[in-house]
Amino acid sequence: MLTIHGVPLSVHTRKAIVTAILKKIDYTFEVVIPVMPGNPPANWGTLSPTGLIPVMQDGDFTLADSTAICLYLERKQPAPPILPADIRDYARVLWFDAYAGGTIFRDVVDPLFAQTIVGPNIRDVPTDKAVVNDVLTNVQPKILGYLEQQSTGNFLVGDAMTLADIAITSNFIVYQYLGFEIDAARYPNLAKYLRGIVATAPFQKTLPDERPFVDQMGLQRDFLSLD
Ligand SMILES: N[C@@H](CCC(=O)N[C@@H](CS)C(=O)NCC(=O)O)C(=O)O
């Protein structure tokens, strides 16, 4: 049985969970919250060389990094695929996954999470509003503008859900948990696209499991219609 270590509401943990659900791979879940002092287990440094979540264990095989985990699951259970067969579509999916982790998460979601949740609620450091304003005013418009051009259909690449949709949407779920909204008047394609991916069965199956953590952290969840 496969084990996923992480927090269900984390951007990168959700990528691994949704991929496992999509592929009907059974897994158990171990909660690890790296930002919570004293939380990670004693052997965490061995399981996660970076200290970050998620980590997956499949028997005696341990693997960190959400993309590596998703690609492992793709080989373990090829159907349904999260990577298209077509060479260009395949490459574009890898591009969107890299953009999700390297740009959307690093430049928008992570700083907003750090400023609005980790700082004030866990580290006792007040929100630096200048950082939040910089993200919202200077960083995010270029990213949302690009995604608005790319999200004209139900899926970012091809005609089925891929790693691209899982990685991009997972970021915007956390973004909205934090109380930030995608302006549907300014970004109508993106807003509609994200609603559609959130409504798919794998996301709908895992999102209720996030609720206890969402409630505990005082996050927003109205946009998900989880009730
Ligand atoms: N490249 C890594 C990034 C993982 C990552 O940044 N995880 C975040 C949660 S979404 C984390 O562990 N944050 C805790 C910390 O920064 O201490 C992956 O894709 O798994």
Side-chain angles (χ1 to χ4, degrees):
M1 167 78 81
L2 198 122
T3 304
I4 298 173
H5 302 255
V7 192
L9 61 67
S10 110
V11 166
H12 295 97
T13 306
R14 190 184 299 106
K15 278 174 62 183
I17 291 173
V18 168
T19 301
I21 292 173
L22 180 70
K23 291 176 172 294
K24 298 192 168 36
I25 298 173
D26 284 340
Y27 65 92
T28 56
F29 196 80
E30 290 286 335
V31 175
V32 176
I33 310 178
V35 293
M36 207 67 93
N39 179 276
N43 65 340
W44 186 237
T46 312
L47 295 179
S48 176
T50 58
L52 300 175
I53 51 172
V55 166
M56 181 212 73
Q57 286 182 293
D58 190 8
D60 62 359
F61 180 60
T62 302
L63 187 65
D65 190 88
S66 62
T67 299
I69 294 166
C70 292
L71 299 189
Y72 175 81
L73 298 181
E74 178 78 344
R75 290 282 183 95
K76 187 178 171 72
Q77 175 51 266
I82 56 166
L83 294 175
D86 176 82
I87 181 173
R88 294 187 181 186
D89 284 352
Y90 166 85
R92 272 173 54 73
V93 167
L94 293 182
W95 148 252
F96 278 118
D97 180 55
Y99 186 67
T103 299
I104 303 172
F105 181 72
R106 190 193 61 204
D107 296 346
V108 176
V109 177
D110 199 33
L112 292 179
F113 192 77
Q115 289 302 328
T116 59
I117 300 296
V118 179
N121 296 357
I122 299 173
R123 303 228 161 104
D124 208 15
V125 178
T127 301
D128 186 338
K129 289 190 181 147
V131 173
V132 174
N133 286 340
D134 181 56
V135 169
L136 298 180
T137 311
N138 301 323
V139 180
Q140 136 179 317
K142 185 176 172 191
I143 293 169
L144 297 186
Y146 169 67
L147 290 174
E148 172 67 12
Q149 289 170 4
Q150 300 298 313
S151 55
T152 51
N154 292 338
F155 305 101
L156 283 170
V157 181
D159 56 7
M161 190 151 82
T162 67
L163 180 59
D165 304 304
I166 297 169
I168 298 280
T169 302
S170 193
N171 271 278
F172 285 103
I173 289 173
V174 174
Y175 176 87
Q176 292 174 93
Y177 276 159
L178 298 176
F180 301 101
E181 288 172 18
I182 306 290
D183 180 351
R186 192 168 169 193
Y187 306 108
N189 293 336
L190 180 59
K192 182 164 177 265
Y193 158 78
L194 291 171
R195 272 199 310 277
I197 298 295
V198 165
T200 60
F203 276 92
Q204 285 298 309
K205 191 146 186 243
T206 191
L207 287 170
D209 295 339
E210 303 183 11
R211 186 171 175 169
F213 300 89
V214 168
D215 288 346
Q216 194 184 334
M217 291 186 178
L219 302 174
Q220 297 289 325
R221 59 179 170 75
D222 304 351
F223 68 98
L224 293 174
S225 308
L226 284 179
D227 291 319

